[in-house]
Amino acid sequence: MTKHDESYCTLIENKFSRIIAAISELHGISLEDAMEMFYNSDTSTLIEEGVADLHCRSDKYLAEEVWHEMMEEKNNSHPTE
């Protein structure tokens, strides 16, 4: 990861908080579950690394991306017979 100035780090930390809150609100799960989901997602890593300027996307859009990513991962780890 590249070094960023303090203001960028604050921006990203605030962005993460808003995405976590959006996951919780949109899908009716606890903030703790939403936080675990977010920090275990590839999306959070991509945002932190600055890939494709994802930090510029809306919080709700990114919350939905995390949700879909984790649901897809869950479905792939427990395939139906």
Side-chain angles (χ1 to χ4, degrees):
M1 185 169 128
T2 61
K3 283 192 165 192
H4 296 288
D5 65 12
E6 189 175 329
S7 61
Y8 180 81
C9 291
T10 301
L11 171 96
I12 293 301
E13 288 172 7
N14 289 332
K15 184 75 169 175
F16 285 1
S17 295
R18 291 189 310 270
I19 294 167
I20 292 164
I23 294 168
S24 175
E25 291 171 18
L26 290 168
H27 298 286
I29 62 173
S30 70
L31 284 171
E32 292 81 10
D33 288 343
M35 183 171 60
E36 183 176 337
M37 180 179 282
F38 177 74
Y39 284 113
N40 286 312
S41 71
D42 291 333
T43 303
S44 70
T45 303
L46 294 173
I47 296 167
E48 189 170 11
E49 291 175 353
V51 173
D53 290 331
L54 286 174
H55 66 280
C56 295
R57 303 280 177 132
S58 78
D59 301 334
K60 286 185 180 180
Y61 172 84
L62 293 168
E64 288 299 309
E65 286 299 307
V66 170
W67 181 263
H68 291 300
E69 175 188 335
M70 299 311 283
M71 292 302 104
E72 184 176 308
E73 185 177 297
K74 182 179 178 181
N75 289 335
N76 288 337
S77 67
H78 297 98
T80 57
E81 296 180 59

Coordinates of all heavy atoms in Angstrom, one line a residue:
M1 N 0.8 -1.2 0.0 CA 0.0 0.0 0.0 C 0.9 1.2 0.0 O 1.9 1.3 0.7 CB -0.9 0.0 1.2 CG -1.9 1.1 1.3 SD -3.1 0.8 2.6 CE -2.9 2.4 3.4
T2 N 0.5 2.2 -0.7 CA 1.2 3.5 -0.8 C 0.9 4.3 0.4 O -0.1 4.2 1.0 CB 0.9 4.3 -2.1 OG1 -0.5 4.6 -2.0 CG2 1.2 3.4 -3.3
K3 N 1.9 5.2 0.7 CA 1.7 6.1 1.8 C 0.7 7.3 1.4 O 0.8 7.8 0.3 CB 3.0 6.7 2.3 CG 3.8 5.8 3.1 CD 4.9 6.6 3.7 CE 5.5 5.7 4.8 NZ 6.4 6.5 5.7
H4 N -0.2 7.6 2.2 CA -1.1 8.7 2.0 C -1.0 9.7 3.1 O -0.6 9.4 4.2 CB -2.6 8.2 1.9 CG -2.8 7.2 0.8 ND1 -2.9 7.6 -0.5 CD2 -3.0 5.9 0.8 CE1 -3.1 6.6 -1.3 NE2 -3.2 5.5 -0.5
D5 N -1.4 10.9 2.7 CA -1.4 11.9 3.8 C -2.5 11.7 4.8 O -3.4 10.9 4.5 CB -1.4 13.3 3.2 CG -2.7 13.7 2.4 OD1 -3.7 12.9 2.5 OD2 -2.7 14.7 1.8
E6 N -2.5 12.4 5.9 CA -3.4 12.2 7.0 C -4.9 12.5 6.5 O -5.8 11.8 6.9 CB -3.1 13.1 8.1 CG -3.9 12.8 9.4 CD -3.4 13.7 10.5 OE1 -2.2 14.0 10.6 OE2 -4.3 14.0 11.4
S7 N -5.1 13.5 5.7 CA -6.4 13.8 5.2 C -7.0 12.7 4.4 O -8.2 12.4 4.5 CB -6.4 15.1 4.5 OG -5.7 15.1 3.3
Y8 N -6.2 12.1 3.5 CA -6.7 10.9 2.7 C -7.1 9.8 3.6 O -8.2 9.2 3.5 CB -5.7 10.5 1.7 CG -6.2 9.3 0.9 CD1 -7.0 9.6 -0.2 CD2 -5.8 8.0 1.2 CE1 -7.5 8.5 -1.0 CE2 -6.3 7.0 0.4 CZ -7.1 7.2 -0.7 OH -7.6 6.1 -1.4
C9 N -6.3 9.5 4.6 CA -6.6 8.4 5.6 C -7.9 8.7 6.3 O -8.7 7.8 6.5 CB -5.4 8.2 6.5 SG -3.9 7.5 5.7
T10 N -8.1 9.9 6.7 CA -9.3 10.3 7.4 C -10.5 10.1 6.5 O -11.6 9.6 6.9 CB -9.2 11.7 7.9 OG1 -8.1 11.8 8.8 CG2 -10.5 12.1 8.6
L11 N -10.4 10.5 5.2 CA -11.4 10.4 4.2 C -11.8 8.9 4.1 O -13.0 8.6 4.1 CB -11.0 10.9 2.9 CG -11.9 10.7 1.7 CD1 -12.8 11.9 1.5 CD2 -11.1 10.4 0.5
I12 N -10.8 8.0 4.0 CA -11.1 6.6 3.8 C -11.7 6.0 5.0 O -12.7 5.2 4.9 CB -9.8 5.9 3.4 CG1 -9.4 6.3 2.0 CG2 -10.0 4.4 3.4 CD1 -10.4 6.1 0.8
E13 N -11.2 6.4 6.2 CA -11.8 5.8 7.4 C -13.3 6.2 7.5 O -14.1 5.4 7.9 CB -11.0 6.4 8.6 CG -9.7 5.7 8.8 CD -8.8 6.4 9.9 OE1 -9.3 7.3 10.6 OE2 -7.6 6.0 10.0
N14 N -13.6 7.5 7.2 CA -15.0 7.9 7.3 C -15.8 7.2 6.2 O -17.0 6.9 6.5 CB -15.1 9.5 7.1 CG -14.5 10.2 8.3 OD1 -14.6 9.7 9.4 ND2 -14.0 11.4 8.1
K15 N -15.2 7.0 5.0 CA -15.9 6.3 4.0 C -16.3 4.9 4.4 O -17.4 4.4 4.3 CB -15.1 6.2 2.7 CG -15.7 5.6 1.5 CD -16.7 6.6 0.9 CE -17.2 6.1 -0.5 NZ -18.2 7.0 -1.0
F16 N -15.3 4.2 5.0 CA -15.5 2.8 5.5 C -16.7 2.8 6.6 O -17.5 2.0 6.5 CB -14.3 2.3 6.2 CG -13.2 1.9 5.2 CD1 -13.3 2.0 3.8 CD2 -12.0 1.3 5.7 CE1 -12.4 1.6 3.0 CE2 -11.0 0.9 4.8 CZ -11.2 1.0 3.5
S17 N -16.7 3.8 7.5 CA -17.8 3.9 8.5 C -19.1 4.0 7.8 O -20.1 3.4 8.3 CB -17.5 5.1 9.4 OG -16.3 4.9 10.1
R18 N -19.2 4.9 6.8 CA -20.5 5.1 6.2 C -20.9 3.9 5.4 O -22.1 3.5 5.3 CB -20.4 6.3 5.2 CG -20.3 7.6 6.0 CD -20.5 8.8 5.1 NE -19.7 8.8 3.9 CZ -18.4 9.3 3.8 NH1 -17.8 9.9 4.9 NH2 -17.7 9.2 2.7
I19 N -20.0 3.2 4.8 CA -20.3 1.9 4.0 C -20.9 0.9 5.0 O -21.9 0.2 4.7 CB -19.1 1.4 3.2 CG1 -18.7 2.4 2.1 CG2 -19.4 0.0 2.6 CD1 -17.4 2.1 1.5
I20 N -20.2 0.7 6.1 CA -20.6 -0.3 7.1 C -22.0 0.1 7.6 O -22.9 -0.8 7.7 CB -19.6 -0.3 8.3 CG1 -18.3 -0.9 7.8 CG2 -20.1 -1.1 9.5 CD1 -17.1 -0.7 8.7
A21 N -22.3 1.3 7.9 CA -23.6 1.8 8.4 C -24.6 1.5 7.3 O -25.7 1.0 7.6 CB -23.6 3.2 8.7
A22 N -24.3 1.7 6.0 CA -25.2 1.4 4.9 C -25.5 -0.1 4.8 O -26.7 -0.4 4.6 CB -24.7 2.0 3.6
I23 N -24.5 -0.9 4.9 CA -24.7 -2.4 4.9 C -25.7 -2.7 6.0 O -26.7 -3.5 5.7 CB -23.4 -3.1 5.0 CG1 -22.5 -2.9 3.8 CG2 -23.7 -4.6 5.2 CD1 -21.1 -3.4 4.1
S24 N -25.5 -2.3 7.2 CA -26.4 -2.5 8.3 C -27.8 -2.1 8.0 O -28.7 -2.9 8.3 CB -25.8 -1.9 9.6 OG -26.7 -2.0 10.7
E25 N -28.0 -0.9 7.6 CA -29.3 -0.3 7.4 C -30.0 -1.0 6.2 O -31.2 -1.3 6.3 CB -29.2 1.2 7.1 CG -28.8 2.0 8.3 CD -28.5 3.5 7.9 OE1 -28.9 3.9 6.8 OE2 -27.8 4.1 8.7
L26 N -29.3 -1.2 5.1 CA -29.9 -1.8 3.9 C -30.4 -3.2 4.1 O -31.3 -3.7 3.5 CB -29.0 -1.7 2.7 CG -28.7 -0.3 2.2 CD1 -27.6 -0.3 1.2 CD2 -30.0 0.3 1.5
H27 N -29.6 -4.0 4.9 CA -29.9 -5.4 5.0 C -30.3 -5.8 6.4 O -30.4 -7.0 6.7 CB -28.7 -6.2 4.5 CG -28.4 -5.9 3.1 ND1 -29.2 -6.4 2.1 CD2 -27.5 -5.1 2.5 CE1 -28.7 -5.9 0.9 NE2 -27.7 -5.1 1.1
G28 N -30.5 -4.9 7.3 CA -31.1 -5.2 8.6 C -30.2 -6.1 9.5 O -30.7 -7.0 10.1
I29 N -28.9 -5.9 9.4 CA -28.0 -6.6 10.2 C -27.3 -5.7 11.2 O -27.3 -4.5 11.0 CB -26.9 -7.4 9.4 CG1 -26.0 -6.5 8.5 CG2 -27.6 -8.4 8.4 CD1 -24.9 -7.2 7.8
S30 N -26.7 -6.3 12.2 CA -26.0 -5.4 13.2 C -24.8 -4.7 12.6 O -24.2 -5.2 11.6 CB -25.5 -6.3 14.4 OG -24.5 -7.1 14.0
L31 N -24.4 -3.6 13.2 CA -23.2 -2.9 12.8 C -22.0 -3.8 12.9 O -21.1 -3.8 12.1 CB -23.0 -1.7 13.6 CG -23.9 -0.5 13.3 CD1 -23.7 0.6 14.3 CD2 -23.6 0.0 11.9
E32 N -21.9 -4.7 13.9 CA -20.8 -5.6 14.1 C -20.7 -6.6 13.0 O -19.6 -6.8 12.4 CB -20.9 -6.4 15.4 CG -20.7 -5.5 16.7 CD -22.0 -4.7 17.1 OE1 -23.1 -4.9 16.5 OE2 -21.9 -3.8 17.9
D33 N -21.9 -7.2 12.6 CA -21.9 -8.1 11.4 C -21.5 -7.4 10.1 O -20.8 -7.9 9.3 CB -23.3 -8.8 11.3 CG -23.5 -9.8 12.4 OD1 -22.5 -10.2 13.1 OD2 -24.7 -10.1 12.6
A34 N -22.0 -6.2 10.0 CA -21.7 -5.4 8.8 C -20.2 -5.1 8.7 O -19.6 -5.1 7.6 CB -22.6 -4.1 8.7
M35 N -19.7 -4.7 9.9 CA -18.2 -4.4 9.9 C -17.4 -5.6 9.5 O -16.5 -5.6 8.8 CB -17.8 -3.9 11.3 CG -16.4 -3.5 11.4 SD -16.0 -2.6 12.9 CE -16.4 -3.9 14.1
E36 N -17.8 -6.8 10.1 CA -17.0 -8.0 9.8 C -17.1 -8.3 8.3 O -16.2 -8.7 7.7 CB -17.6 -9.2 10.6 CG -16.8 -10.5 10.4 CD -17.3 -11.6 11.3 OE1 -17.9 -11.3 12.4 OE2 -17.1 -12.7 10.9
M37 N -18.3 -8.2 7.8 CA -18.6 -8.4 6.3 C -17.7 -7.5 5.5 O -17.0 -7.9 4.6 CB -20.0 -8.3 6.0 CG -20.4 -8.5 4.6 SD -22.1 -8.3 4.2 CE -22.8 -9.8 4.9
F38 N -17.7 -6.2 5.8 CA -17.0 -5.2 5.1 C -15.5 -5.5 5.1 O -14.8 -5.6 4.0 CB -17.2 -3.8 5.6 CG -16.4 -2.8 4.8 CD1 -16.7 -2.4 3.5 CD2 -15.3 -2.2 5.4 CE1 -16.0 -1.5 2.8 CE2 -14.6 -1.3 4.8 CZ -14.9 -0.9 3.5
Y39 N -14.9 -5.7 6.3 CA -13.5 -5.9 6.4 C -13.0 -7.2 5.9 O -11.8 -7.4 5.6 CB -13.0 -5.6 7.8 CG -12.9 -4.2 8.1 CD1 -13.8 -3.6 9.1 CD2 -12.1 -3.3 7.5 CE1 -13.8 -2.3 9.4 CE2 -12.0 -2.0 7.8 CZ -12.9 -1.4 8.7 OH -12.9 -0.1 9.0
N40 N -13.9 -8.2 5.7 CA -13.5 -9.5 5.1 C -13.7 -9.5 3.5 O -13.5 -10.5 2.9 CB -14.3 -10.6 5.7 CG -13.7 -10.9 7.1 OD1 -12.5 -11.0 7.3 ND2 -14.6 -11.0 8.1
S41 N -14.2 -8.4 3.0 CA -14.5 -8.3 1.5 C -13.2 -7.9 0.7 O -12.4 -7.2 1.2 CB -15.6 -7.4 1.3 OG -15.2 -6.0 1.5
D42 N -13.2 -8.3 -0.5 CA -12.2 -7.8 -1.4 C -12.4 -6.4 -1.7 O -11.5 -5.6 -2.0 CB -12.2 -8.6 -2.7 CG -11.8 -10.1 -2.5 OD1 -11.0 -10.4 -1.6 OD2 -12.2 -10.9 -3.3
T43 N -13.7 -6.0 -1.7 CA -14.0 -4.6 -2.0 C -13.3 -3.6 -1.1 O -12.8 -2.6 -1.5 CB -15.5 -4.4 -2.0 OG1 -16.2 -5.3 -2.9 CG2 -15.9 -3.0 -2.4
S44 N -13.3 -3.9 0.2 CA -12.6 -3.0 1.2 C -11.2 -2.9 0.8 O -10.6 -1.8 0.9 CB -12.8 -3.5 2.6 OG -12.1 -4.7 2.9
T45 N -10.5 -4.0 0.4 CA -9.1 -3.9 0.1 C -8.9 -3.1 -1.2 O -8.0 -2.3 -1.2 CB -8.6 -5.4 -0.2 OG1 -8.8 -6.1 1.0 CG2 -7.1 -5.3 -0.5
L46 N -9.8 -3.2 -2.1 CA -9.7 -2.5 -3.4 C -9.8 -1.0 -3.1 O -9.1 -0.1 -3.7 CB -10.7 -2.9 -4.4 CG -10.5 -4.4 -4.9 CD1 -11.7 -4.8 -5.8 CD2 -9.2 -4.5 -5.7
I47 N -10.8 -0.6 -2.2 CA -11.0 0.8 -1.9 C -9.7 1.3 -1.2 O -9.2 2.4 -1.6 CB -12.2 1.0 -1.0 CG1 -13.5 0.6 -1.7 CG2 -12.3 2.4 -0.5 CD1 -14.7 0.4 -0.7
E48 N -9.2 0.6 -0.3 CA -8.0 1.0 0.5 C -6.8 1.2 -0.4 O -6.0 2.1 -0.3 CB -7.7 0.1 1.6 CG -6.7 0.5 2.5 CD -6.5 -0.3 3.8 OE1 -7.1 -1.4 3.8 OE2 -5.8 0.1 4.7
E49 N -6.7 0.4 -1.4 CA -5.6 0.4 -2.4 C -5.8 1.5 -3.4 O -4.9 1.7 -4.3 CB -5.3 -1.0 -3.0 CG -4.8 -2.0 -2.0 CD -4.7 -3.4 -2.6 OE1 -5.1 -3.6 -3.7 OE2 -4.1 -4.2 -1.9
G50 N -7.0 2.1 -3.5 CA -7.2 3.1 -4.5 C -7.5 2.6 -5.9 O -7.4 3.4 -6.8
V51 N -7.9 1.4 -6.0 CA -8.2 0.8 -7.3 C -9.4 1.4 -7.9 O -10.5 1.6 -7.3 CB -8.4 -0.7 -7.2 CG1 -8.9 -1.3 -8.5 CG2 -7.1 -1.4 -6.7
A52 N -9.3 1.9 -9.1 CA -10.4 2.4 -9.9 C -11.2 3.5 -9.2 O -12.4 3.7 -9.5 CB -11.3 1.3 -10.4
D53 N -10.5 4.3 -8.4 CA -11.2 5.3 -7.6 C -12.5 4.9 -7.0 O -13.5 5.7 -7.0 CB -11.4 6.6 -8.6 CG -10.1 7.2 -8.9 OD1 -9.1 7.2 -8.1 OD2 -10.0 7.8 -10.0
L54 N -12.5 3.7 -6.5 CA -13.8 3.2 -5.9 C -14.2 4.1 -4.7 O -15.5 4.2 -4.5 CB -13.6 1.8 -5.3 CG -13.5 0.7 -6.4 CD1 -13.2 -0.6 -5.7 CD2 -14.8 0.6 -7.1
H55 N -13.3 4.8 -4.1 CA -13.7 5.7 -3.0 C -14.6 6.8 -3.5 O -15.3 7.5 -2.7 CB -12.5 6.3 -2.2 CG -11.7 7.2 -3.1 ND1 -10.8 6.7 -4.0 CD2 -11.6 8.5 -3.2 CE1 -10.2 7.7 -4.6 NE2 -10.7 8.8 -4.1
C56 N -14.7 7.0 -4.8 CA -15.5 8.1 -5.3 C -17.0 7.6 -5.5 O -17.9 8.4 -5.8 CB -15.0 8.6 -6.7 SG -13.4 9.4 -6.5
R57 N -17.2 6.3 -5.5 CA -18.5 5.8 -5.6 C -19.4 6.0 -4.4 O -18.9 6.3 -3.3 CB -18.5 4.2 -5.8 CG -17.7 3.8 -7.0 CD -18.5 4.0 -8.3 NE -17.6 3.6 -9.4 CZ -18.0 2.8 -10.4 NH1 -19.2 2.3 -10.4 NH2 -17.3 2.6 -11.4
S58 N -20.7 6.0 -4.5 CA -21.6 6.3 -3.4 C -21.4 5.2 -2.3 O -21.1 4.0 -2.6 CB -23.0 6.4 -3.8 OG -23.6 5.1 -4.1
D59 N -21.7 5.6 -1.1 CA -21.7 4.6 0.0 C -22.6 3.5 -0.2 O -22.3 2.3 0.0 CB -22.0 5.3 1.3 CG -21.0 6.5 1.6 OD1 -19.9 6.4 1.1 OD2 -21.4 7.4 2.3
K60 N -23.8 3.8 -0.6 CA -24.8 2.7 -0.8 C -24.4 1.8 -2.0 O -24.6 0.6 -1.9 CB -26.2 3.3 -1.1 CG -26.8 3.9 0.1 CD -28.2 4.4 -0.1 CE -28.8 4.9 1.2 NZ -30.2 5.4 1.0
Y61 N -23.8 2.3 -3.0 CA -23.4 1.5 -4.1 C -22.3 0.5 -3.6 O -22.4 -0.7 -3.9 CB -22.8 2.3 -5.3 CG -22.1 1.5 -6.3 CD1 -22.8 0.9 -7.4 CD2 -20.7 1.3 -6.3 CE1 -22.2 0.2 -8.3 CE2 -20.1 0.5 -7.3 CZ -20.9 0.0 -8.3 OH -20.2 -0.8 -9.2
L62 N -21.4 1.0 -2.9 CA -20.3 0.2 -2.3 C -20.8 -0.8 -1.3 O -20.4 -2.0 -1.3 CB -19.2 1.0 -1.8 CG -18.4 1.8 -2.8 CD1 -17.5 2.9 -2.2 CD2 -17.6 0.9 -3.8
A63 N -21.8 -0.4 -0.5 CA -22.4 -1.4 0.4 C -23.1 -2.5 -0.3 O -22.9 -3.7 0.1 CB -23.5 -0.6 1.3
E64 N -23.7 -2.2 -1.4 CA -24.4 -3.3 -2.2 C -23.3 -4.2 -2.9 O -23.5 -5.4 -3.0 CB -25.3 -2.7 -3.3 CG -26.6 -2.1 -2.7 CD -27.4 -3.2 -2.0 OE1 -27.7 -4.2 -2.5 OE2 -27.8 -2.9 -0.8
E65 N -22.2 -3.6 -3.3 CA -21.1 -4.4 -3.9 C -20.6 -5.4 -2.9 O -20.4 -6.5 -3.2 CB -20.0 -3.5 -4.4 CG -20.3 -2.8 -5.7 CD -20.6 -3.8 -6.8 OE1 -19.8 -4.6 -7.1 OE2 -21.7 -3.6 -7.4
V66 N -20.4 -4.9 -1.6 CA -19.9 -5.8 -0.6 C -20.9 -6.9 -0.3 O -20.5 -8.0 -0.2 CB -19.6 -5.0 0.7 CG1 -19.3 -5.9 1.9 CG2 -18.4 -4.0 0.5
W67 N -22.1 -6.5 -0.2 CA -23.2 -7.5 0.1 C -23.2 -8.6 -1.0 O -23.3 -9.8 -0.7 CB -24.6 -6.8 0.2 CG -25.7 -7.7 0.5 CD1 -26.5 -8.3 -0.3 CD2 -26.0 -8.2 1.8 NE1 -27.4 -9.1 0.3 CE2 -27.1 -9.1 1.7 CE3 -25.5 -8.0 3.1 CZ2 -27.7 -9.7 2.7 CZ3 -26.1 -8.6 4.2 CH2 -27.2 -9.5 4.0
H68 N -23.3 -8.1 -2.2 CA -23.3 -9.1 -3.3 C -22.1 -10.0 -3.4 O -22.2 -11.2 -3.6 CB -23.5 -8.4 -4.7 CG -24.9 -7.8 -4.8 ND1 -26.0 -8.5 -4.8 CD2 -25.2 -6.5 -5.0 CE1 -27.1 -7.7 -4.9 NE2 -26.6 -6.4 -5.0
E69 N -20.9 -9.4 -3.1 CA -19.7 -10.2 -3.1 C -19.7 -11.2 -2.0 O -19.4 -12.4 -2.2 CB -18.5 -9.2 -2.8 CG -17.2 -9.9 -2.6 CD -16.1 -9.0 -2.1 OE1 -16.2 -7.7 -2.3 OE2 -15.1 -9.5 -1.5
M70 N -20.2 -10.9 -0.8 CA -20.2 -11.8 0.3 C -21.3 -12.9 0.1 O -21.1 -14.0 0.5 CB -20.4 -11.1 1.6 CG -19.3 -10.1 1.9 SD -17.6 -10.8 1.8 CE -17.5 -11.7 3.2
M71 N -22.5 -12.5 -0.5 CA -23.5 -13.5 -0.8 C -23.1 -14.5 -1.8 O -23.3 -15.7 -1.8 CB -24.8 -12.8 -1.2 CG -25.5 -12.0 -0.1 SD -25.9 -13.0 1.3 CE -24.6 -12.4 2.5
E72 N -22.3 -14.0 -2.8 CA -21.8 -14.9 -3.9 C -20.8 -15.9 -3.3 O -20.8 -17.0 -3.6 CB -21.1 -14.1 -5.0 CG -20.7 -14.9 -6.1 CD -20.1 -14.1 -7.3 OE1 -20.8 -13.1 -7.7 OE2 -19.0 -14.3 -7.7
E73 N -19.9 -15.3 -2.4 CA -18.9 -16.2 -1.7 C -19.6 -17.2 -0.9 O -19.2 -18.4 -0.8 CB -18.0 -15.3 -0.8 CG -16.9 -16.1 -0.2 CD -16.0 -15.1 0.6 OE1 -15.4 -14.2 -0.1 OE2 -15.9 -15.3 1.8
K74 N -20.7 -16.8 -0.2 CA -21.4 -17.7 0.7 C -22.1 -18.8 -0.2 O -22.1 -20.0 0.2 CB -22.5 -17.0 1.5 CG -23.3 -17.8 2.4 CD -24.3 -16.9 3.2 CE -25.2 -17.8 4.1 NZ -26.2 -17.0 4.8
N75 N -22.7 -18.4 -1.3 CA -23.3 -19.4 -2.2 C -22.3 -20.4 -2.8 O -22.6 -21.6 -3.0 CB -24.1 -18.7 -3.3 CG -25.4 -18.1 -2.7 OD1 -25.9 -18.4 -1.7 ND2 -25.8 -17.0 -3.4
N76 N -21.1 -19.9 -3.1 CA -20.1 -20.8 -3.7 C -19.5 -21.7 -2.6 O -19.0 -22.8 -3.0 CB -19.0 -19.9 -4.3 CG -19.5 -19.3 -5.6 OD1 -20.4 -19.7 -6.2 ND2 -18.8 -18.2 -5.9
S77 N -19.5 -21.3 -1.4 CA -19.0 -22.2 -0.4 C -20.0 -23.2 0.1 O -19.7 -24.2 0.7 CB -18.5 -21.4 0.8 OG -19.5 -20.8 1.5
H78 N -21.3 -23.0 -0.2 CA -22.4 -23.9 0.2 C -23.3 -24.2 -1.0 O -24.4 -23.7 -1.0 CB -23.2 -23.4 1.4 CG -22.5 -23.1 2.6 ND1 -22.0 -21.9 3.0 CD2 -22.1 -24.0 3.6 CE1 -21.4 -22.0 4.2 NE2 -21.4 -23.3 4.5
P79 N -22.7 -24.9 -2.0 CA -23.6 -25.1 -3.2 C -24.8 -26.0 -2.9 O -24.7 -26.9 -2.1 CB -22.6 -25.8 -4.2 CG -21.5 -26.4 -3.3 CD -21.5 -25.5 -2.1
T80 N -25.9 -25.6 -3.6 CA -27.1 -26.5 -3.4 C -27.0 -27.7 -4.2 O -26.3 -27.7 -5.3 CB -28.3 -25.7 -3.8 OG1 -28.2 -25.2 -5.2 CG2 -28.6 -24.5 -2.9
E81 N -27.6 -28.7 -3.8 CA -27.5 -30.0 -4.5 C -28.7 -30.2 -5.4 O -29.7 -29.8 -5.2 CB -27.4 -31.2 -3.5 CG -26.1 -31.0 -2.7 CD -26.0 -32.2 -1.7 OE1 -25.9 -33.3 -2.2 OE2 -25.9 -31.9 -0.5

